[in-house]
Amino acid sequence: HIKDATGKCLRERERVCVCVRERERNTRCAVSPARNRAEGKVLETVGVFEAPKPQGKYETGQLFLHSVFGYRGIVLFPWQARLYDRDVASPVPEKSESAAGHGSKEVKGKTHTYYQVLIDARDCPHISQRSQTEAVTFLANHDDSRALYAIPGLDYVSHEDILPYSSTDQVPIQHELFERFLMYDQTKVPPFVARDTLCAWQEKNHPWLELSDVHRETTENIRVTVIPFYMGMREAQNSHVYWWRYCIRLENLDNEVVQLRERHWRIFSLSGTLETVRGRGVVGREPVLSKEQPAFQYSSHVSLQASSGHMWGTFRFERPDGSHFDVRIPPFSLESNKDEKTPPSGLHW
């Protein structure tokens, strides 16, 4: 559990003081696994909550709980993204940066802070049913143009999803990159500072890590957020193949239980092709979104034989009474980095 600054245990409304058994049903908590303890009966102190920052940004080394998925993490560095929220219509049509795609709604981008973070490995088993913990992928330096590799426990987190806390533990996060990227310095606040290794890794891999555009739209209280990432280009059979990954979060903003049943994508390539993709669920799952577990997050990939394109579509959900409804996926553009033609040849340090 986590205590506030007065030393009092936070109440259930903070959704953090729950036992391990409850955690398996609702991962919005701050309980450490306590694997060798009596099942479902032990709480372990993680740290002391700090006041969230409504403005500004969190620094490298900030410990936090994810407000939606409940895992422990630590901030590596921030990204400044453009958020295109289609639920916020522009009052007057004007020339502005807008999300490309179908539909006539003008969407103006606003700056929003996200963070590159490490996920505590102890929490990964508890969130794997609702959020992929190997979602950040790269093109491998391999003859196979479709070969990918992932960095486990790496994530992108929106500013409002950060619940900051402090800890006296000098190694509060268990992750293979924690001590390679960060070191303890009790004179600093927060007391974890970036090593040269982290700075070099960020600089060398910047084009493949950069988060630039975020797209959001809500239909019948189901909010869909999409973040596309350019991964690089590969040559295959005398042609260029451009790759992107996209991260999608589905959130149920209502109390009614719904289940994702189908996906329907439209993928337009600058080369002039229009592809339709239909299928059951996403990444082999048909997630249920409820009041207790309102969100599901996953990543997937798309490749085009052109340097840019667009994607849009719908998710079909089912209600408890058997009726269905379609939820719009906000249209988003697939853009390549013109000055960066070669993706990383393995993980750069």
Side-chain angles (χ1 to χ4, degrees), residues 41-177:
K41 296 184 179 179
V42 176
L43 296 176
E44 292 186 351
T45 300
V46 171
V48 178
F49 260 135
E50 299 173 344
K53 294 182 178 181
Q55 306 293 333
K57 64 182 178 66
Y58 296 104
E59 301 298 327
T60 295
Q62 176 64 62
L63 295 167
F64 69 92
L65 294 181
H66 195 295
S67 67
V68 176
F69 297 113
Y71 64 71
R72 289 164 287 182
I74 192 165
V75 171
L76 295 181
F77 45 82
W79 293 110
Q80 292 300 312
R82 293 185 299 274
L83 172 63
Y84 299 101
D85 193 340
R86 299 179 73 82
D87 301 327
V88 181
S90 299
V92 178
E94 56 180 302
K95 289 186 177 180
S96 64
E97 292 180 297
S98 61
H102 77 302
S104 59
K105 182 182 292 185
E106 184 77 10
V107 184
K108 186 175 182 180
K110 65 177 183 179
T111 302
H112 193 76
T113 302
Y114 276 72
Y115 300 94
Q116 195 88 66
V117 308
L118 295 180
I119 304 173
D120 194 308
R122 294 167 294 184
D123 295 340
C124 289
H126 301 282
I127 65 173
S128 60
Q129 294 302 309
R130 295 199 295 140
S131 179
Q132 293 173 318
T133 56
E134 297 187 357
V136 181
T137 53
F138 298 85
L139 289 178
N141 184 24
H142 202 278
D143 291 338
D144 183 357
S145 63
R146 300 174 61 87
L148 304 173
Y149 71 91
I151 301 178
L154 194 64
D155 199 5
Y156 294 84
V157 179
S158 177
H159 183 86
E160 65 268 20
D161 287 340
I162 297 283
L163 295 176
Y165 74 91
S166 61
S167 172
T168 57
D169 191 343
Q170 293 189 19
V171 187
I173 300 296
Q174 289 189 12
H175 190 288
E176 62 181 349
L177 296 178

Side-chain angles (χ1 to χ4, degrees), residues 31 42 50 109 113 122 131 168 204 225 242 284 302 314 324 349:
V31 185
V42 176
E50 299 173 344
T113 302
R122 294 167 294 184
S131 179
T168 57
K204 291 180 180 178
T225 303
Y242 297 82
V302 62
T314 56
H324 295 82
W349 301 111

